[in-house]
Amino acid sequence: MQFFAYYQEMHTSSWNSPRPQRSGIGTAADDGIDVISLGRRVRHLRKTAGMTLDALGEAVATAPSQLSLIENGKREPKLGMIKALAAAFGVGIDELLGAEPPSRRAALEIELERAQRGPLYQSLGLPTVRVSSRLPMDVLESLVGLQNELERRLDEQAATPEEARRANTELRDEMRSRNNYYPEIERQAQELLTAVGHVSGPLSHHVAADIAEHLGFGLRFVGDLPHSTRSVTDLKNRIIYLTQSSAADHDPRSVLLQALGHYVLGHETPVDYSDFLRQRVYTNYFAAALLMPEKDTVAFLQEAKNAKELAIEDLRDAFAVSYESAAHRFTNLATEHLGITCHFQKVHESGIIHKAYENDGVNFPADHTGAIEGQTICRYWTSREVFDVPDKFRAYDQYTDTKVGTFWCTARTERHSSGMYSLSIGIPYKDVKWFRGRDTTERSKSKCPDETCCRRPPESLSAEWGGQAWPAARANTHLLAAMPQGAFPGVDETEVYRFLEAHAGR
């Protein structure tokens, strides 16, 4: 376990970024010369020329022991020595310094030498294997193969969270560049609606089943669907299995349409997490385009805009979908058809961002990769303030002054099996005139990412309770976070201090 923890620390902190190597210790010198590769090439050229170390030493006026250090990648030759070696072998300097190993064996030797000098191998505490011409080829192949497989398996453990955040960031960049609008998916959805004769109004369960039948799929509702799945599609027999559980968090129409989306959009087995995530976003979009057809939805939104009564809950009610689905659909169409930029958030009650999108320049918190998911949102933003609002029946509206401007946001909370979440849509101040709720008197100010905004407890609470509290964190409150802050990762110290303050006098 100590080894795995060490490897993950080394991998995530230093292996993912270029790091300088000192001559004689790492694989490359400060000027970019790969000393291991150069050494193997010198050895290869020397043996090809039939020269001993002594003979080469005489030719370049250098002791054989010094040449041995060069061949083993433990010393970087100076420019004069490089020129002398090239002349002795009758090759150009570019060929001597070439990056391509001279042979398969040389490539394996270089790979093994690099691996043994890396932090992963050193953390194992194993003796170093001397890489020489006497090492059998099959042993060399096995050692390199074992090293590569170990790295691959540990990469899956250590890199997956970061790769997931990178994939989210790349996909969000794509969505922003298109204003979250995909006309090709809109077109495919409309063709299906036309094929089953759906003209207007909410998409019923019956019409959703008609779409499945039109595409040649049968439906089966079962009570033993694997707990980690929303649906299972039998492609051989063209049957889609769904659950009738009353505890389901998802609209069965949406789950069915998403399953059909994989077929209609021609998806194949995802090759990596990025591919998986992109497919999921596209199928979610496809389902929304069927549940809230573009033509009808745009007409509804345009009429509401003209009346200055835009409201996400009205879109929800008009098409009989969830508030989250209506909010997502609004982001699909608002910029393309209404000329309104916006941002969306789904935030867990712990303050961790679960989903987010923006094309209005709002300053979401992000890590060094640009990832937003897993970050803690400012406690003064609407998406956090809404949790403390007693009235859960109506949407909560608020203006928030940030370092990049003032935004108006509308939000609601919904309970899921994994806890309470807030769902919010925000827009720049200039567009608030089109929305119902613009007359709200609720206003807050956020100085994030300045730590004095909300990342530190108020001075009065810190003075009273600093060093006097020892909370035990719930693991599920920080698993998604990239790097939780504070001495107790995942614990909101302000909430802990407020809790103690409230109970101290009882």
Side-chain angles (χ1 to χ4, degrees), residues 225-231:
L225 199 68
H227 74 279
S228 60
T229 64
R230 298 179 187 176
S231 68

Side-chain angles (χ1 to χ4, degrees), residues 47-221:
K47 292 190 174 184
T48 300
M51 301 175 71
T52 64
L53 280 172
D54 290 334
L56 180 59
E58 291 180 6
V60 298
T62 300
S65 61
Q66 298 302 308
L67 291 174
S68 179
L69 290 174
I70 292 173
E71 288 191 356
N72 289 316
K74 295 181 179 179
R75 174 162 295 179
E76 177 198 352
K78 295 183 178 179
L79 181 58
M81 175 57 65
I82 293 174
K83 291 180 178 179
L85 288 169
F89 297 136
V91 300
I93 293 179
D94 289 343
E95 182 178 348
L96 184 62
L97 298 176
E100 189 67 25
S103 66
R104 166 66 177 164
R105 181 181 179 87
L108 290 171
E109 289 180 352
I110 292 170
E111 193 168 356
L112 181 57
E113 193 70 55
R114 285 176 178 163
Q116 291 188 132
R117 298 185 190 187
L120 170 57
Y121 191 92
Q122 292 175 7
S123 71
L124 295 173
L126 298 175
T128 300
V129 177
R130 186 171 182 271
V131 182
S132 69
S133 58
R134 295 186 180 88
L135 190 66
M137 187 68 172
D138 58 345
V139 174
L140 190 57
E141 293 269 11
S142 295
L143 289 174
V144 171
L146 285 171
Q147 176 73 19
N148 289 340
E149 179 61 17
L150 178 59
E151 289 187 9
R152 185 192 69 79
R153 295 193 179 193
L154 291 175
D155 280 345
E156 290 182 352
Q157 292 184 350
T160 294
E162 183 165 349
E163 289 305 310
R165 292 192 294 273
R166 289 185 187 277
N168 270 296
T169 302
E170 292 171 2
L171 184 56
R172 188 166 48 254
D173 288 343
E174 174 192 312
M175 295 163 66
R176 185 189 301 110
S177 70
R178 303 186 61 161
N179 291 322
N180 205 19
Y181 178 71
Y182 291 81
E184 62 276 20
I185 299 180
E186 300 281 0
R187 183 177 61 256
Q188 289 171 294
Q190 186 55 54
E191 289 173 354
L192 271 178
L193 291 171
T194 301
V196 298
H198 181 74
V199 178
S200 63
L203 191 80
S204 66
H205 286 69
H206 178 76
V207 176
D210 285 346
I211 293 174
E213 183 179 0
H214 172 75
L215 294 172
F217 285 91
L219 307 180
R220 299 287 188 277
F221 282 92

Side-chain angles (χ1 to χ4, degrees), residues 350-352 376 471-479 481 483-493 495-496:
S350 63
I352 299 298
T376 302
R474 289 188 178 185
N476 63 353
T477 65
H478 67 274
L479 286 177
M483 184 57 68
Q485 300 176 346
F488 302 93
V491 171
D492 188 321
E493 292 184 357
E495 291 184 357
V496 172

